[in-house]
Amino acid sequence: MQNSATKKIIAAIAVLVVVVGGFFAFTGSKHSSSSTDSSSSSKKMSLKELNIQFVPSSQADTILAKAKPLESLLSKQLGIPVHVSISTDYNTVIEAMGSKKVDMGFLPPDGYVTAHKQYGAKVILQSTRLGMKDDNTGATTDKLVNSYKSMVLVKADSPIKSINDLKGKKIAVQGATSSAGYIYPTVELYKKGVNVVKDSTLVQVKGHDQGVMSVLNGDTDAAFIFDDARNVVKKDQPDVFKNTRVLYYTKGIPNDTITLRKDISSSDSDKIKAAIVAVSKTDEGKKVFNDVYSWAGVTDSKDSNFDEIRNYDQTMNKIK
């Protein structure tokens, strides 16, 4: 009888141990799983994919081929699909960002200012480049800079000897939001008494390389290009520096931007910024940025860096 009672007590204790042990095992497992999920989700992007658009500084199909490797490089960093495309001009990128069709744009400074004003776009990075020597050779210095110049290019044997001679001439320009290809030279020449909008014929071309070629081919008398876009065509036109000369250099223009649309969260913005910085330090990333836009790297940026651009825009609005 005692032996039977003892067995019942032992059995009851065993059941209790199993139940209690199971409870703690369950709650412990649940806590562990919850902790793991939380840790994992903290690393995830809210964006399901990242759509990037470039503006062609040279032929669009060439730029796209050079920019495509950025898809896999950034996707590896962010853990989401990345898609790269090329727009027709700056305004197309800006409108696509405003309608949320594009998440990130590689915009020139004036394009950024417009995107910020119209749609609240936010700059996260600016490019750095090697400085250019002003000796008509296209050679670079060994110093990284965060600004560049625009220049007015003419043929070496052109009768155009001063900016006043641009009156009545045909000038190749980029779109109206291009700092180097339109705004800076137009504003600075205006301040010096030459209104190219009124007194010259402006011919819009797509890509600074096309501006160079228009001068070489005699289609235009001059071109507004970034310093020094002749390097883009040097491979196919080895005598481009011999056959052209710089008529005028503008003041420094803030370097190009990497800009995000307004609605991207701060968390995602930080992840994207960190990913781009990481990619820019790899050999593959350096090659992409150099091949596409002649960038040497990227650096931090902020909106106030572009106040000078806004000043030029105000003057530009007065030119008719």
Side-chain angles (χ1 to χ4, degrees):
M1 187 75 178
Q2 185 179 2
N3 194 24
S4 175
T6 302
K7 287 181 178 180
K8 288 182 179 181
I9 293 172
I10 292 173
I13 292 173
V15 170
L16 182 61
V17 168
V18 170
V19 171
V20 173
F23 172 79
F24 281 108
F26 171 77
T27 55
S29 173
K30 184 178 180 181
H31 175 74
S32 175
S33 173
S34 175
S35 176
T36 302
D37 290 346
S38 175
S39 174
S40 175
S41 65
S42 68
K43 296 180 181 179
K44 290 181 179 178
M45 298 276 292
S46 297
L47 285 174
K48 301 304 179 186
E49 60 181 10
L50 181 67
N51 292 298
I52 304 173
Q53 202 157 76
F54 286 80
V55 178
S57 60
S58 58
Q59 291 183 354
D61 54 347
T62 303
I63 288 291
L64 182 59
K66 292 175 178 177
K68 271 290 181 182
L70 194 61
E71 290 182 335
S72 58
L73 291 172
L74 276 179
S75 181
K76 185 177 180 181
Q77 290 282 335
L78 296 171
I80 58 174
V82 175
H83 309 289
V84 167
S85 62
I86 304 297
S87 73
T88 54
D89 55 38
Y90 306 118
N91 287 325
T92 304
V93 183
I94 293 168
E95 292 304 317
M97 292 177 73
S99 62
K100 301 183 183 181
K101 294 177 181 177
V102 167
D103 306 305
M104 184 170 84
F106 280 66
L107 291 174
D110 197 81
Y112 160 70
V113 167
T114 301
H116 177 76
K117 181 179 179 180
Q118 292 183 354
Y119 300 111
K122 49 191 178 183
V123 63
I124 56 171
L125 292 165
Q126 270 181 270
S127 65
T128 57
R129 286 188 175 97
L130 291 173
M132 302 298 301
K133 294 181 179 180
D134 295 341
D135 58 2
N136 204 55
T137 65
T140 60
T141 68
D142 57 0
K143 182 182 179 182
L144 285 176
V145 295
N146 59 7
S147 65
Y148 68 106
K149 296 178 181 178
S150 169
M151 59 192 202
V152 181
L153 188 74
V154 298
K155 270 190 172 180
D157 59 358
S158 171
I160 299 174
K161 303 300 181 183
S162 73
I163 60 173
N164 287 318
D165 295 332
L166 291 171
K167 295 177 180 178
K169 301 298 192 296
K170 292 172 68 176
I171 305 173
V173 300
Q174 301 301 307
T177 58
S178 172
S179 300
Y182 193 90
I183 295 171
Y184 262 65
T186 298
V187 167
E188 292 192 16
L189 293 180
Y190 175 77
K191 289 181 176 180
K192 294 178 181 294
V194 180
N195 186 342
V196 295
V197 173
K198 178 181 178 182
D199 300 327
S200 304
T201 300
L202 303 183
V203 180
Q204 184 174 339
V205 297
K206 292 184 178 180
H208 292 252
D209 58 335
Q210 296 306 303
V212 176
M213 292 306 301
S214 72
V215 171
L216 284 176
N217 294 334
D219 297 326
T220 59
D221 302 296
F224 295 166
I225 60 173
F226 68 79
D227 181 16
D228 196 313
R230 290 176 291 180
N231 284 323
V232 180
V233 304
K234 185 179 179 180
K235 182 178 180 181
D236 296 324
Q237 302 288 333
D239 292 330
V240 63
F241 288 96
K242 176 182 176 182
N243 294 332
T244 59
R245 60 183 164 84
V246 181
L247 181 72
Y248 178 81
Y249 286 103
T250 68
K251 295 179 180 179
I253 307 170
N255 275 358
D256 298 334
T257 76
I258 297 179
T259 299
L260 296 178
R261 62 177 173 83
K262 177 182 178 181
D263 307 276
I264 293 179
S265 69
S266 297
S267 176
D268 278 1
S269 296
D270 290 343
K271 292 183 178 72
I272 292 169
K273 179 178 178 180
I276 294 170
V277 170
V279 166
S280 73
K281 294 178 180 179
T282 66
D283 291 340
E284 299 94 330
K286 288 177 182 178
K287 186 177 189 311
V288 171
F289 289 134
N290 181 66
D291 288 349
V292 174
Y293 286 144
S294 301
W295 290 10
V298 292
T299 188
D300 286 338
S301 185
K302 59 183 184 295
D303 180 70
S304 60
N305 287 4
F306 304 92
D307 286 344
E308 186 65 20
I309 295 291
R310 295 178 173 98
N311 292 335
Y312 271 71
D313 285 347
Q314 288 179 358
T315 303
M316 189 72 230
N317 291 334
K318 300 175 184 177
I319 302 176
K320 298 178 181 179

